[in-house]
Amino acid sequence: MKINNIHYRTIWLEEATPNVVQVIDQRSLPHEFVIESLTTVDEVAIAIKDMHVRGAGLIGATAAYGMYVAALHADVDYVMDALKTAGEVLKMTRPTAVNLAWAVERQLAVASMAANKDEAVRITRETAGAIANEDADFCRRIGAHGVSLIEKISQAKSGNTVNILTHCNAGWLAFVDYGSATAPIYAAHDQGINVHVWVDETRPRNQGARLTAWELGQHGVPHTVIADNVGGHLMQHGLVDLVITGSDRTTYTGDVANKIGTYLKALAAQDNGIPFYVALPSSTFDWTMQDGLKEIPIEQRHGGEVQYIQGLHEGTIKKVLLTPQTSPAVNYGFDVTPARLVTGLITERGICDASAAGILKLYPEKAAQTKLSP
Ligand code: MRU
């Protein structure tokens, strides 16, 4: 993705300093573009927990690089011990997005085959790179599949603008490149299809207003930021043609955990007969979970994120108090949208029904990991 016409990914190693992980610090966006260097497992863990980096795909890739950093600093005789400890630390940072645990487990599996520390360092570095490349490539393919949905609506509207509503940031900042929910939108825009995006601000941290709006603007995609409560009204008045969101964890039955507020958009979409699609790379499926409401762990974050709001004031990024100082606040990070409200899933292998049958038709090799297997 381009920022001021320079191509960036959200995470990378510089050739001259391969022991240092570079990330875009998303806390300062959209007002400042800051690159942060991460050199220790603790720094990587803090970057994930405090959301310098965020979004399902990117926290998976960051955790993978965290495991590489752990191998670099491990005692030669205790490399696997160091990796297991780092894995536990990293997995505890954010519980909902399954990509994080998936990336840690993948690193532990490959590292366990290394004969010595040098090999473990090489193998974890290569695997982190492979996870990042795969993430970007899967998102690109989500775009290639998802664009057909937008194309069809555009044709039905005789080329008039297709209005798409999205929630939170499931854009390239949430992945390594392209994004999940945004990938079909970027692909449509690049093909010359008229699109316009309604961007939910996404309280409390405003990932929509701060990040999705900034990304879309950098790519030249027409968009409008709306308060979180506006979507239902727009849908009732024919101003939304399609909803596309991302996912942080999707059960093999099609229940979707995504940023808090997604469920309400799905309810409104169903009431108004508007297609509600969820875009996700396969690293976001949890092949062990059947019932999203009962099984997906929902992260609860500090109430301060609800009580305070951040913005630019006279050239400086500031936080201000919104609520009465003494009013407590609760901060659930995610909610679960049941499969029955999801029109379909857009994956790197194609579009499928949000059901075990639909998902396993695209990923038959995963059937053995599910509870459906005999
Ligand atoms: O808390 P965040 O910002 O890490 O939440 C993750 C998200 O960005 C959204 O839930 C997104 O729609 C899915 S992740 C691509």
Side-chain angles (χ1 to χ4, degrees):
M1 192 54 59
K2 285 190 173 154
I3 301 168
N4 299 329
N5 279 327
I6 301 171
H7 181 262
Y8 281 92
R9 281 184 164 188
T10 51
I11 188 163
W12 67 95
L13 300 179
E14 295 283 356
E15 232 171 78
T17 53
N19 295 359
V20 182
V21 181
Q22 312 285 345
V23 294
I24 297 170
D25 185 346
Q26 301 189 20
R27 293 172 304 168
S28 319
L29 289 172
H31 306 300
E32 288 169 16
F33 182 70
V34 176
I35 292 172
E36 185 181 13
S37 299
L38 306 173
T39 54
T40 66
V41 175
D42 283 348
E43 285 176 2
V44 172
I46 288 168
I48 298 173
K49 193 169 177 49
D50 294 346
M51 295 174 69
H52 311 193
V53 293
R54 43 147 296 286
L58 179 56
I59 62 180
T62 308
Y65 277 107
M67 295 295 278
Y68 157 60
V69 169
L72 272 174
H73 298 294
D75 185 302
V76 275
D77 293 324
Y78 299 100
V79 181
M80 272 321 284
D81 291 342
L83 283 173
K84 281 181 193 153
T85 306
E88 288 311 310
V89 169
L90 291 166
K91 279 201 280 189
M92 270 174 1
T93 52
R94 299 202 65 194
T96 301
V98 73
N99 307 58
L100 202 164
W102 167 85
V104 166
E105 294 305 331
R106 185 159 156 185
Q107 285 286 41
L108 286 173
V110 294
S112 69
M113 292 183 300
N116 52 43
K117 172 172 167 166
D118 284 349
E119 217 173 295
V121 169
R122 179 183 57 75
I123 236 169
T124 50
R125 179 181 162 171
E126 283 171 5
T127 304
I131 287 173
N133 288 339
E134 208 173 274
D135 184 82
D137 184 52
F138 283 10
C139 285
R140 185 188 58 74
R141 284 154 62 180
I142 286 170
H145 292 297
V147 73
S148 63
L149 300 170
I150 302 175
E151 233 159 16
K152 270 187 212 138
I153 297 172
S154 169
Q155 279 161 11
K157 289 185 80 173
S158 311
N160 285 319
T161 302
V162 179
N163 288 298
I164 302 160
L165 184 141
T166 191
H167 191 68
C168 195
N169 173 261
W172 74 274
L173 286 165
F175 289 87
V176 174
D177 209 344
Y178 299 98
S180 58
T182 54
I185 298 170
Y186 289 133
H189 175 79
D190 292 349
Q191 285 179 25
I193 298 171
N194 290 319
V195 287
H196 165 262
V197 184
W198 296 113
V199 180
D200 279 355
E201 61 175 345
T202 319
R203 280 283 287 149
R205 287 185 70 107
N206 294 312
Q207 290 96 325
R210 296 195 303 108
L211 306 176
T212 306
W214 181 74
E215 272 193 29
L216 292 170
Q218 288 288 333
H219 200 88
V221 178
H223 62 278
T224 307
V225 179
I226 50 174
D228 283 332
N229 304 326
V230 176
H233 172 78
L234 294 176
M235 291 183 202
Q236 287 174 322
H237 291 273
L239 295 169
V240 179
D241 298 302
L242 172 67
V243 181
I244 311 181
T245 74
S247 168
D248 296 87
R249 189 184 296 237
T250 299
T251 63
Y252 65 82
T253 53
D255 295 339
V256 174
N258 193 52
K259 181 54 56 190
I260 193 80
T262 302
Y263 169 56
L264 292 176
K265 296 300 140 69
L267 281 175
Q270 187 173 70
D271 193 43
N272 290 283
I274 293 165
F276 181 97
Y277 279 88
V278 175
L280 70 156
S282 50
S283 50
T284 307
F285 281 115
D286 188 324
W287 302 107
T288 68
M289 286 191 181
Q290 193 166 23
D291 184 332
L293 268 180
K294 288 196 187 132
E295 294 176 275
I296 297 178
I298 299 296
E299 177 181 10
Q300 261 191 273
R301 297 185 61 83
H302 196 277
E305 293 181 351
V306 177
Q307 293 160 319
Y308 287 81
I309 196 157
Q310 175 179 301
L312 193 69
H313 179 65
E314 293 176 350
T316 312
I317 296 174
K318 292 221 166 91
K319 270 190 184 161
V320 294
L321 182 64
L322 273 178
T323 61
Q325 199 119 40
T326 50
S327 295
V330 70
N331 186 5
Y332 291 97
F334 301 89
D335 58 26
V336 173
T337 299
R340 67 187 153 77
L341 298 178
V342 179
T343 311
L345 303 173
I346 313 170
T347 76
E348 77 276 4
R349 291 197 188 169
I351 300 175
C352 68
D353 283 348
S355 65
I359 294 166
L360 292 172
K361 201 166 165 199
L362 284 186
Y363 297 92
E365 76 280 12
K366 299 292 182 186
Q369 289 175 44
T370 69
K371 291 180 187 130
L372 299 175
S373 70

